[in-house]
Amino acid sequence: MNSSEAEHIRQACLQVAIEAYEQGGLLGLCQEGRFELAMDAIRHLTLAPFCDEDRESASRS
């Protein structure tokens, strides 16, 4: 993994965390609940689109 790929993963994690945190606010969750929702979103983030193997096999098709 190069630094560009790592940055894409970091940005994806930040994006899903922010979206989940904001959604938690709309749902009326407390700060702790919003944080837990954000962490759960990161835990369940699908990383397959960021994997070299997946991109290489897709480019060969």
Side-chain angles (χ1 to χ4, degrees):
M1 173 184 318
N2 62 40
S3 61
S4 176
E5 292 169 326
E7 185 58 31
H8 286 297
I9 292 170
R10 180 193 336 263
Q11 291 302 319
C13 289
L14 287 170
Q15 186 64 37
V16 297
I18 290 167
E19 289 172 4
Y21 188 84
E22 290 174 353
Q23 183 65 31
L26 295 173
L27 294 171
L29 297 178
C30 65
Q31 294 296 320
E32 185 177 343
R34 293 172 76 178
F35 178 80
E36 288 299 320
L37 193 62
M39 294 300 100
D40 196 47
I42 293 172
R43 285 184 199 100
H44 291 96
L45 178 62
T46 302
L47 296 177
F50 303 101
C51 295
D52 284 338
E53 294 170 5
D54 291 337
R55 278 194 245 164
E56 288 174 10
S57 64
S59 66
R60 288 185 217 149
S61 300

